[in-house]
């Protein structure tokens, strides 16, 4: 009998627990910081359009947005705002902070095809409350729900591999939801947000390999569970390099779209594996569990 001896925990198990708890801590901090940043930003003059970190106008829009009504389009990049050249998101925010609601300012942009256009009188407005609810509060509350579910799962099943994978997925999704508003406003957590999206894909693929029960190949080769997360790291690095690319301000679009596809592919793979186990699981218990998850 070896009951008195401590159980041997391999390096991957320890790393899995550390990373999962670290993501949870980051999600908790994000849930505290995000509302402060979002509410502060919402009180400054709003030009009627939103930009990504590289000052490229994104495809988010709302009713009555003045910049959009003037014709500003997705993929146009800001060059000068009110006569001042802007190279970073911080410079753009500083220009707006020095103006007041009701002012009209000229905005010079360069389009994706490198042609230029001047919008001579874009009126600054208050950021609509309905859009703050739609773009911040709803995703934020959803993020809190995911975080609570992830914490519950970790408390109940955190000592198991599937439990940690599911908790990691919930915490990563919470980060994506909580910082959703940030990626096109203050851009304080864009790199973290991109990494969290990539992490969702890795978590779902890893979870599919061991839920409701582990594939025998995975049981014999636990290192296979790390592969989806390594791919997530590659996507996170790609996004970081693209967002910090000073030469091509549009490089992040390809990286972000590819990361979205990876996350979506992870979801589809997880769904396909659950369907397979619901129909042809090794045991009746596995088939029942898979059908409950599908439902």
């Amino acid at each position: 009998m070896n009951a008195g001896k401590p159980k041997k925990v391999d390096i991957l198990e320890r790393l899995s627990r550390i990373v999962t708890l670290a993501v949870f801590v980051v999600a908790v901090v994000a849930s505290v910081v995000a509302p402060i940043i979002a509410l502060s930003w919402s009180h400054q003059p709003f030009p009627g359009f939103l930009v990504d970190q590289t000052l490229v106008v994104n495809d988010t829009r709302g009713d009555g947005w003045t910049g959009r009504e003037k014709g500003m389009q997705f993929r146009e990049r800001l060059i000068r705002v009110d006569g001042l050249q802007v190279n970073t998101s911080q410079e753009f925010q500083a220009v707006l902070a020095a103006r007041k609601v009701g002012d009209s300012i000229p905005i010079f942009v360069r389009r994706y095809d490198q042609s230029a256009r001047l919008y001579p009188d874009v009126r600054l407005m208050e950021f609509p409350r309905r859009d703050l609810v739609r773009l911040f509060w709803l995703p934020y509350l959803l993020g809190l729900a995911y975080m609570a579910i992830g914490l519950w799962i970790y408390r109940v099943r955190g000592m198991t591999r599937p439990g940690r994978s599911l908790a990691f997925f919930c915490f990563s999704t919470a980060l994506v939801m909580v910082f959703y508003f940030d990626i096109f406003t203050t851009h304080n957590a864009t790199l973290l947000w991109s990494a969290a999206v990539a992490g969702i894909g890795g978590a779902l693929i890893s979870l599919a390999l061991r839920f409701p029960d582990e594939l025998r190949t995975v049981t014999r080769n636990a290192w296979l569970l790390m592969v989806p997360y390594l791919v997530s790291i590659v996507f996170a690095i790609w996004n970081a390099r693209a967002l910090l690319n000073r030469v091509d301000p549009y490089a992040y679009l390809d990286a972000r779209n590819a990361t979205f596809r990876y996350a979506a592919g992870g979801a589809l793979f997880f769904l396909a594996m659950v369907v397979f186990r619901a129909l042809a699981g090794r045991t009746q218990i596995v088939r029942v569990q898979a059908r409950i998850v599908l439902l």
Side-chain angles (χ1 to χ4, degrees):
M1 296 294 289
N2 297 321
K5 295 183 179 181
K7 293 183 179 180
K8 181 180 179 180
V9 181
D10 61 47
I11 296 176
L12 292 180
E13 290 288 307
R14 291 182 182 274
L15 182 61
S16 172
R17 295 173 190 173
I18 292 172
V19 171
T20 302
L21 288 175
V23 175
F24 169 67
V25 171
V26 173
V28 171
V29 174
S31 68
V32 175
V33 172
I36 299 173
I37 297 174
L39 292 176
S40 176
W41 179 92
S42 68
H43 291 146
Q44 75 173 18
F46 175 54
F49 62 89
L50 296 170
V51 299
D52 289 324
Q53 181 170 315
T54 59
L55 299 181
V56 174
V57 177
N58 68 24
D59 56 356
T60 308
R61 59 176 65 241
D63 293 337
W65 287 15
T66 52
R68 285 293 196 174
E69 290 180 343
K70 288 293 183 179
M72 297 200 70
Q73 301 174 12
F74 173 49
R75 291 191 175 185
E76 292 180 334
R77 183 173 186 268
L78 305 185
I79 303 297
R80 289 195 299 274
V81 178
D82 202 13
L84 300 175
Q85 183 170 343
V86 291
N87 298 306
T88 66
S89 172
Q90 291 73 25
E91 292 177 355
F92 174 47
Q93 299 301 326
V95 173
L96 296 179
R99 308 301 183 268
K100 61 181 184 296
V101 173
D103 288 348
S104 291
I105 60 175
I107 297 179
F108 181 76
V109 303
R110 193 172 303 282
R111 293 179 166 178
Y112 188 69
D113 62 4
Q114 297 304 305
S115 62
R117 180 172 180 179
L118 174 65
Y119 297 95
D121 56 344
V122 175
R123 183 176 61 82
L124 301 181
M125 58 182 289
E126 293 183 357
F127 190 72
R129 291 184 180 180
R130 63 180 180 277
D131 292 318
L132 185 64
V133 171
R134 174 174 62 94
L135 297 174
F136 174 70
W137 286 115
L138 289 180
Y140 175 79
L141 293 175
L142 183 59
L144 293 185
Y146 267 103
M147 187 161 57
I149 293 170
L151 179 60
W152 175 75
I153 291 170
Y154 190 84
R155 285 173 60 91
V156 175
R157 301 278 291 172
M159 297 304 293
T160 67
R161 292 174 180 172
R164 287 195 299 275
S165 286
L166 191 52
F168 181 87
F169 161 73
C170 290
F171 297 150
S172 296
T173 303
L175 274 174
V176 171
M177 294 291 99
V178 166
F179 276 137
Y180 174 70
F181 191 67
D182 177 83
I183 66 169
F184 41 69
T185 54
T186 53
H187 312 110
N188 292 309
T190 307
L191 297 180
L192 178 62
W193 183 88
S194 299
V197 174
I200 289 174
L204 286 172
I205 293 173
S206 181
L207 184 61
L209 297 175
R210 49 186 168 180
F211 184 82
D213 65 335
E214 281 191 351
L215 297 179
R216 290 171 180 166
T217 302
V218 172
T219 303
R220 292 192 297 266
N221 303 278
W223 60 269
L224 289 173
L225 297 171
M226 294 295 296
V227 174
Y229 293 110
L230 293 177
V231 176
S232 294
I233 291 173
V234 171
F235 275 106
I237 294 173
W238 182 13
N239 275 272
R241 289 175 59 87
L243 285 165
L244 299 176
N245 189 335
R246 298 292 185 182
V247 178
D248 183 4
Y250 299 99
Y252 78 97
L253 291 172
D254 288 337
R256 180 173 293 178
N257 289 336
T259 306
F260 284 156
R261 287 193 290 270
Y262 180 59
L268 291 175
F269 180 68
F270 175 74
L271 180 62
M273 290 297 289
V274 173
V275 170
F276 171 77
R277 288 185 169 106
L279 298 176
R282 285 185 291 179
T283 67
Q284 179 65 23
I285 293 177
V286 169
R287 291 193 292 272
V288 170
Q289 289 178 335
R291 289 166 188 169
I292 292 173
V293 171
L294 275 178
L295 179 61

